[in-house]
Amino acid sequence: MQPLPERLFLTRLLTAALLLAGFVAALLFLERAQFAWVVGVIIALAAYEWARLCRLDTRYAIVYVGAILAAFAGLLAPLQTASGAIVIFGSAVVFWCAAVPIWLYKGMGQSSAWLLPLAGLVVLIPAALAMVALAPVQLLLVLALVWIADTAAYGAGRAFGRRKLAPSISPGKTWEGVAGAVTATLAYAIVCAALIPSLGSAVQGGVWLAYLGGAAFLCALSVLGDLFESAAKRQAGVKDSGTLLPGHGGVLDRIDSATATLPAALLLLRELM
């Protein structure tokens, strides 16, 4: 991986800082219903970018955004029941663990491109619902895990990267980067258990093995989310999902890993916190 030019790095850093400050302020100071509107805006922007990756023209892209928002709003009520949450988020986990690896292995060619709009429903809607359903502290913990894994993967890949993870999809990613991401994620999980009383009291004895396994699983999902969006961009012939965020590309480029991680994280945290 080549280091970023200094000017681009500073642009990325400033954009990330502004986005993070705005998001955390909304998360902590808005009521849940108000925060759901913020999530709706995020998911609408991401849905439009996904529609463009599916090569839908502007008119159909707008219709697609409307369908995503309607499904998001319609599923907020079933989300309040335990069975509804399990069906919604469990289906997303099955998609990421079973369908996505097979899809990536076979390749995202034009023959399967018609499935992308349907995939977008599973990629975007459960993640958006999880953002609303998770408590603020829980959501920040999960997003921090994703950011730490992504940063560690980049750093380890630059320093030690030799063996390509998926050269036909994302040539810059390496197995060494994945190892760095898993290591950093496990360290982060241990620190969280040590510093958060409600989490530490639940992680005792043999639960540690399941807890660390869950953290590694979330890390693996974050890698899958990144690779899946990279494959979608590659079949569309674009480098970034959009141009809305200076130095970062589009909204999808910032939330790709989280879309895969959030549904599973919600189900895991239900058992711990």
Side-chain angles (χ1 to χ4, degrees):
M1 293 183 180
Q2 295 297 321
L4 293 172
E6 182 178 358
R7 184 173 180 179
L8 178 58
F9 175 77
L10 292 175
T11 300
R12 286 174 63 94
L13 187 63
L14 178 60
T15 301
L18 292 174
L19 289 173
L20 180 61
F23 181 81
V24 171
L27 178 63
L28 297 181
F29 297 113
L30 294 180
E31 299 292 337
R32 285 283 91 185
Q34 295 171 323
F35 182 68
W37 281 95
V38 174
V39 174
V41 172
I42 295 172
I43 211 66
L45 294 171
Y48 183 80
E49 292 176 357
W50 190 271
R52 300 303 286 169
L53 293 181
C54 297
R55 305 175 188 269
L56 300 180
D57 63 27
T58 302
R59 178 180 56 178
Y60 288 110
I62 292 173
V63 172
Y64 186 76
V65 171
I68 291 283
L69 289 177
F72 169 62
L75 289 172
L76 284 173
L79 186 65
Q80 306 306 314
T81 66
S83 59
I86 291 174
V87 170
I88 293 169
F89 300 120
S91 298
V93 172
V94 170
F95 170 79
W96 285 108
C97 292
V100 168
I102 295 173
W103 201 341
L104 293 176
Y105 177 76
K106 290 186 175 181
M108 193 177 289
Q110 290 302 309
S111 60
S112 62
W114 64 275
L115 288 171
L116 273 181
L118 296 177
L121 301 177
V122 189
V123 170
L124 296 174
I125 296 171
L129 292 169
M131 290 175 68
V132 176
L134 284 165
V137 171
Q138 293 176 331
L139 180 55
L140 288 176
L141 287 174
V142 176
L143 293 178
L145 181 149
V146 172
W147 297 330
I148 288 170
D150 184 60
T151 303
Y154 176 76
R158 277 192 59 191
F160 310 109
R162 297 292 183 273
R163 292 171 292 180
K164 301 296 184 181
L165 175 63
S168 63
I169 299 174
S170 184
K173 293 180 175 58
T174 64
W175 282 105
E176 290 81 3
V178 173
V182 172
T183 301
T185 297
L186 293 179
Y188 169 73
I190 293 170
V191 170
C192 287
L195 297 181
I196 302 174
S198 60
L199 185 58
S201 62
V203 182
Q204 301 288 333
V207 178
W208 268 105
L209 185 60
Y211 173 66
L212 294 178
F217 175 60
L218 294 181
C219 180
L221 285 176
S222 75
V223 174
L224 273 178
D226 193 346
L227 285 175
F228 192 62
E229 199 228 346
S230 294
K233 289 188 293 186
R234 183 168 287 272
Q235 66 81 33
V238 297
K239 180 179 182 295
D240 297 316
S241 65
T243 58
L244 184 63
L245 306 178
H248 291 269
V251 174
L252 271 174
D253 294 317
R254 289 300 86 213
I255 67 170
D256 51 4
S257 297
T259 57
T261 308
L262 283 166
L266 184 142
L267 293 177
L268 292 175
L269 287 172
R270 284 167 63 96
E271 304 299 323
L272 289 175
M273 298 176 67

